[in-house]
Amino acid sequence: MADAPITVIFADISGSTMLCAVRGDETAYKLVSTCLTILEAEVQRFGGRVIKRVGDAILAIFDTVEPAVRSAQSMQVALEAPGSEVVKVRIGIATGTAVLDAGDIYGDVVNVAARLTSLAGADEVFMSGETFEGLPVSMRDPVRVIDQLALRGRPDWVLVYQ
């Protein structure tokens, strides 16, 4: 059930629809699957837990903000490895409480992370104000405020950072 705040990452492969159209379903599926495996490995490397794959995205949780943000940064670098096909990822990160039940996660924090992902461009990481506030001061320098945004399906505005 809901208790201490957690940080949720939603990481989505950018342009997978075009990839299917251009490269064909089987080739695109193999490439996306390989990329999702890389993203999952980065989550685990930083102490997070992958909850599930959702189409061409992963949903993961972390106990604290710093390793979640480091994982997001690392995901982008991992997908740029020399010799690999160029695939971009867009990431949304939100911090709050949620309900963990039967291996899945439910709550507003998940919805916020998903909405932030849909607003982010290829190779962008968007995070909620709560996530930014949880960052150590040493990690805040490269982060910039975007604006307070209305996210679909939410009554309150969310302060969004990139």
Side-chain angles (χ1 to χ4, degrees):
M1 292 294 138
D3 39 63
I6 60 168
T7 299
V8 174
I9 285 186
F10 203 92
D12 179 59
I13 303 295
S14 181
S16 62
T17 302
M18 180 65 78
L19 193 60
C20 286
V22 172
R23 302 288 302 277
D25 294 338
E26 190 172 330
T27 300
Y29 171 78
K30 287 178 182 174
L31 180 58
V32 167
S33 183
T34 298
C35 290
L36 292 177
T37 299
I38 291 168
L39 299 182
E40 290 167 342
E42 293 306 311
V43 166
Q44 293 163 357
R45 185 162 79 95
F46 286 90
R49 184 169 61 128
V50 176
I51 298 298
K52 62 183 171 183
R53 287 185 179 191
V54 184
D56 61 352
I58 63 167
L59 175 62
I61 61 172
F62 290 81
D63 291 335
T64 59
V65 170
E66 183 178 351
V69 172
R70 290 196 186 283
S71 174
Q73 294 167 325
S74 185
M75 286 177 189
Q76 293 176 320
V77 172
L79 289 180
E80 294 174 353
S84 65
E85 189 157 348
V86 177
V87 174
K88 304 286 185 188
V89 63
R90 54 192 186 151
I91 301 170
I93 308 174
T95 302
T97 58
V99 174
L100 295 165
D101 182 50
D104 208 347
I105 184 171
Y106 305 91
D108 187 51
V109 69
V110 178
N111 298 328
V112 170
R115 299 295 187 258
L116 292 175
T117 302
S118 69
L119 294 174
D123 253 359
E124 284 186 323
V125 177
F126 279 10
M127 67 180 78
S128 69
E130 292 84 357
T131 302
F132 177 78
E133 291 299 322
L135 279 176
V137 175
S138 62
M139 289 181 68
R140 291 183 181 185
D141 217 22
V143 179
R144 68 179 183 91
V145 67
I146 299 290
D147 203 348
Q148 286 208 18
L149 301 176
L151 301 181
R152 185 173 49 95
R154 290 201 80 249
D156 302 321
W157 293 67
V158 173
L159 188 56
V160 178
Y161 291 82
Q162 177 189 39

